[in-house]
Amino acid sequence: MGAVTSTAPSPGSPDSSLLDLAPVIPVVIVHDVADAVPMARALVAGGLPAIEVTFRTPAAADAIRAIADEVPDAVVGAGTVLTPEQVETAVAAGSRFLVTPGWTDRLLGALDASGLPYLPGVSTTSEVVALLERGVEEMKFFPAEAAGGTAYLKALASPLPRARFCPTGGVNASNALGYLSLPNVGCVGGTWMLPPDALEAGDWARVESLAREAAALRG
């Protein structure tokens, strides 16, 4: 089986890897579907087109659908995907990529069958090797800080040079650049450009400003 990379269309380059669309993928938890579109527009305007909407609330699928329908420049995907049934729901809602916190054979089979690019979650060397054996070369490293952070990923770079990662979990504005400086990191996932008080107030200008700062981390 050939190498599987997370290729997702982008406004600038249709053949770009998901890991290369922007230095940061916002990890979004949507409680109110009405917030989905203005939030996505703010993130895209700030330079972060890839948006991961997590399946942590009942609003997730409708939020993905709204963004897919109304924000054409967004590359919206589903995160915290745990079951084949959620894969089907995400695809039906219009997701353009899938992200999982971990993987099983059953879940990986559903991810493959979806036809979408995906980032399966890993936190150990054995999981990385197992995915490489299956031809999967792009992965989510989660929970990044708790699982060893930049030191762990740096140690993987030499023995496993084909593996590329999107570290998520404890990544923030102060440590993101340390991850992005590693040769095996394509982008990071985080929530710091979506502070709860800004979301509660509908302060999309602030979200756009924070997104622009995040997009500039890798100039």
Side-chain angles (χ1 to χ4, degrees), residues 183-194:
N184 54 352
V185 170
C187 65
V188 299
T191 62
W192 72 88
M193 72 297 301
L194 298 161

Side-chain angles (χ1 to χ4, degrees), residues 7-79:
T7 303
S10 74
S13 176
D15 296 322
S16 292
S17 162
L18 175 63
L19 298 187
D20 298 325
L21 294 185
V24 181
I25 296 178
V27 179
V28 176
I29 302 173
V30 178
H31 295 280
D32 186 343
V33 175
D35 291 337
V37 168
M39 177 171 51
R41 286 175 176 158
L43 292 170
V44 171
L48 301 180
I51 301 169
E52 176 189 336
V53 178
T54 65
F55 271 117
R56 300 185 193 183
T57 70
D62 287 337
I64 292 168
R65 186 174 293 107
I67 295 170
D69 289 344
E70 299 184 45
V71 192
D73 289 335
V75 180
V76 63

Side-chain angles (χ1 to χ4, degrees), residues 3-149:
V4 177
T5 58
S6 299
T7 303
S10 74
S13 176
D15 296 322
S16 292
S17 162
L18 175 63
L19 298 187
D20 298 325
L21 294 185
V24 181
I25 296 178
V27 179
V28 176
I29 302 173
V30 178
H31 295 280
D32 186 343
V33 175
D35 291 337
V37 168
M39 177 171 51
R41 286 175 176 158
L43 292 170
V44 171
L48 301 180
I51 301 169
E52 176 189 336
V53 178
T54 65
F55 271 117
R56 300 185 193 183
T57 70
D62 287 337
I64 292 168
R65 186 174 293 107
I67 295 170
D69 289 344
E70 299 184 45
V71 192
D73 289 335
V75 180
V76 63
T80 320
V81 176
L82 301 175
T83 67
E85 292 75 23
Q86 286 182 325
V87 171
E88 293 178 3
T89 299
V91 172
S95 294
R96 294 169 67 181
F97 65 91
L98 305 168
V99 183
T100 75
W103 61 276
T104 64
D105 288 338
R106 182 169 177 260
L107 181 55
L108 198 65
L111 294 170
D112 276 329
S114 74
L116 295 180
Y118 59 86
L119 295 172
V122 297
S123 59
T124 70
T125 306
S126 294
E127 291 171 315
V128 176
V129 172
L131 286 176
L132 289 173
E133 188 177 77
R134 294 164 179 258
V136 180
E137 297 184 349
E138 297 185 350
M139 311 164 198
K140 171 179 176 174
F141 179 55
F142 177 83
E145 283 289 282

